Amino acid sequence: MSDEDYSSDRLFEFLRESTIRGLLNPAVAKSRLNACEQLFVELQDDEKNDIRLIDVDTLCSRLHKIQNSSIRPEVLELYNQRVKAALTDYLSWLKKPACFYSIGGDSIRKDKRYEPSAKEVSLEQQALEEITLTTSSQPNDIISVPLREDRTVYIKNLPLDLSLDEAMKIARVIKALAINNNEQVE
């Protein structure tokens, strides 16, 4: 890698080409590019030549002061987040282009032209595993109470820290629902 790879121009080039390469979702790439364009007008020469020197928070304050606070703070914060994400993704891509995966999960590699990265495969396997585990067993928060041979009652959403007073309150409600055969309910 050359020092030229760390220039702001190369970052812009990456953001423009990332959608063609299937690295970023087009809307995400465009929003990050726009944020970089807005903030990078205040870059100093050394920062333009080496984006690793950029402190995005300082850059945002610089822009905010120069613009006489005309930029709304929420817009500036959005630019801040997007520029940080763009820098992180670009530097990650520079280190290992073959294993690149966007920090925001904004990859659009849906077609078969690209091999998914190891991280994408791992995340997909983990999600499938979680789906299998949650659908294959009874949820943990449901308690079954067999009443008779032909009837089971299910109790759901009992708190893990259920106190004795709370349990008695639930029991009183259930007792109140029972058909009274001339018996006194306590």
Side-chain angles (χ1 to χ4, degrees):
M1 261 172 271
S2 69
D3 287 340
E4 186 181 295
D5 288 335
Y6 295 106
S7 71
S8 59
D9 291 336
R10 291 291 245 201
L11 172 64
F12 287 134
E13 189 178 307
F14 167 77
L15 290 171
R16 287 185 188 104
E17 292 180 8
S18 62
T19 58
I20 297 167
R21 294 181 184 177
L23 300 173
L24 291 176
N25 178 300
V28 170
K30 185 175 181 178
S31 67
R32 289 179 181 179
L33 179 63
N34 182 46
C36 288
E37 288 172 342
Q38 296 300 318
L39 290 183
F40 283 16
V41 294
E42 297 305 325
L43 283 182
Q44 296 171 348
D45 288 338
D46 58 334
E47 294 171 324
K48 285 180 185 176
N49 295 329
D50 190 349
I51 58 173
R52 295 172 293 183
L53 302 175
I54 297 174
D55 179 350
V56 180
D57 296 327
T58 304
L59 182 61
C60 286
S61 346
R62 221 184 294 158
L63 181 71
H64 197 57
K65 286 177 188 172
I66 291 173
Q67 297 287 332
N68 294 324
S69 303
S70 63
I71 298 175
R72 293 191 326 249
E74 59 271 15
V75 172
L76 200 58
E77 180 60 30
L78 190 61
Y79 286 163
N80 183 311
Q81 292 169 0
R82 289 178 178 173
V83 169
K84 283 180 179 176
L87 289 169
T88 302
D89 272 356
Y90 178 62
L91 294 173
S92 171
W93 178 79
L94 279 177
K95 286 180 186 171
K96 290 187 177 181
C99 298
F100 173 75
Y101 189 77
S102 174
I103 60 164
D106 304 307
S107 174
I108 59 165
R109 293 184 190 174
K110 301 290 186 219
D111 56 37
K112 300 296 180 195
R113 292 182 294 173
Y114 301 98
E115 285 295 318
S117 70
K119 186 174 180 181
E120 286 175 307
V121 171
S122 172
L123 289 173
E124 186 175 346
Q125 286 174 339
Q126 183 181 2
L128 288 172
E129 199 173 285
E130 286 176 14
I131 290 169
T132 304
L133 288 174
T134 57
T135 57
S136 64
S137 64
Q138 183 178 1
N140 294 335
D141 65 340
I142 296 178
I143 300 170
S144 62
V145 181
L147 291 180
R148 305 171 251 207
E149 195 173 306
D150 64 334
R151 178 71 62 179
T152 301
V153 174
Y154 297 95
I155 302 171
K156 183 177 174 145
N157 295 331
L158 286 176
L160 292 174
D161 60 346
L162 183 69
S163 70
L164 184 57
D165 288 339
E166 293 168 332
M168 294 307 292
K169 187 176 186 179
I170 294 168
R172 285 192 298 273
V173 170
I174 293 172
K175 281 183 178 180
L177 295 173
I179 297 175
N180 189 347
N181 293 331
N182 294 329
E183 296 178 19
Q184 186 70 19
V185 177
E186 293 180 25

